[in-house]
Each structure stands twice: as structure tokens, then as C-alpha cells.
């Protein structure tokens, strides 16, 4: 084997071990003043930590979570929109019938007015152009009245 292809062995190094430097325990800061209701005095609790520090503070009531209400499978908004659509469809059919009824009523009233105009116009035409019981046409002259006036005939 050639020396350039020989396996290389890494050089041995000295092992160094580092130990963490311990920090001295922190002195707890004074607790902030908590406004207290005049009738209630909160209880004070002290806890000894494993390193020997004592932590003193007010006991805090655990927060109560609100019970989770079960949501309906369909939202109220979706149900209201669907009901509004059904109501609109129901009303649309009625509106269509109402429009048809109004159109038919308008045509009926128009026919009644036309019929009344024809009948009234015919009655007026009979009054104007009628003979009042006389047969024939032309102008009728009352001769007797003209004859007896001053014994002269006025035509």
C-alpha cells in the first residue's frame, strides 16, 4: 500500500470537562400591593422551593372555565336565511296570482265601461234621432195652428 492511501488516525486530544457555574439564589422582590376589598382579607401562602428559597404571596383562586355550550349542527343565520327563502317562494306564488287577478279585474272593468258607453251612446242616439212614434222621415208642420191664426195661412 502506498503511504498516501494509508488510513489516517485522528490525533488524540485532551478531554476538557466544563462544570456550570451555579448562581446564588435570587432574593425575591417585594410583592406589589394588591388592592383589597375592605371586607375581605386575602389569605397569604408561603412555598418553600427545593433550593431553600421561600416564596410568599396571596392565594389566587383558580379561574373557572365557562362550560362549553354545544353548538347546533346548523347555525341560526343559515336557518334564518333558508326560512326567508322558503317564505319568499311562498309569497312569490301568491304575488303572481295577485297580479293575474288584478290584470283580469282591470280587463273586466274596461269591458263594463265600454258596454256602458255603447248602451248610453245608443240611448242618446235614439233620443236625438228618434221619430217619437211617427212613421217616415222629414219635417212635420202643424198646419191647423197656422190656418186659424188671423185666417191666413202661414207656411
Amino acid at each position: 500500500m502506498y503511504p498516501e492511501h494509508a488510513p489516517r488516525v485522528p490525533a488524540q486530544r485532551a478531554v476538557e470537562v466544563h462544570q456550570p457555574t451555579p448562581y446564588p439564589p435570587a432574593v425575591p422582590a417585594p410583592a406589589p400591593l394588591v388592592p383589597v376589598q375592605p371586607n375581605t382579607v386575602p389569605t397569604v401562602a408561603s412555598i418553600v422551593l427545593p433550593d431553600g428559597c421561600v416564596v410568599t404571596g396571596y392565594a389566587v383562586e383558580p379561574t373557572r372555565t365557562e362550560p362549553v355550550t354545544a353548538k347546533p349542527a346548523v347555525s341560526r343565520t343559515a336557518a334564518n336565511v333558508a326560512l326567508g327563502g322558503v317564505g319568499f317562494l311562498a309569497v312569490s306564488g301568491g304575488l303572481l296570482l295577485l297580479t293575474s287577478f288584478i290584470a283580469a279585474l282591470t280587463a273586466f272593468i274596461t269591458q263594463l265601461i265600454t258596454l256602458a258607453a255603447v248602451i248610453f251612446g245608443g240611448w242618446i242616439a235614439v233620443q236625438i234621432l228618434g221619430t217619437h212614434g211617427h212613421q217616415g222621415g222629414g219635417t212635420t208642420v202643424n198646419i191647423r195652428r197656422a190656418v186659424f191664426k188671423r185666417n191666413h195661412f202661414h207656411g
Side-chain angles (χ1 to χ4, degrees), residues 14-18:
V15 177
E16 295 178 14
V17 177
H18 294 280

Side-chain angles (χ1 to χ4, degrees), residues 75-150:
S75 70
R76 290 183 183 176
T77 305
N80 289 340
V81 168
L83 288 176
V86 170
F88 179 74
L89 287 177
V91 169
S92 295
L95 288 176
L96 182 63
L97 289 176
L98 182 65
T99 350
S100 301
F101 175 74
I102 290 174
L105 186 63
T106 305
F108 179 70
I109 290 174
T110 305
Q111 289 176 354
L112 284 179
I113 290 173
T114 306
L115 180 65
V118 167
I119 291 174
F120 186 67
W123 182 75
I124 290 179
V126 166
Q127 295 298 319
I128 293 174
L129 302 175
T131 58
H132 296 291
H134 298 98
Q135 297 296 329
T139 305
T140 304
V141 178
N142 192 349
I143 295 176
R144 269 198 245 162
R145 190 171 179 190
V147 169
F148 290 114
K149 192 172 182 183
R150 296 186 196 157

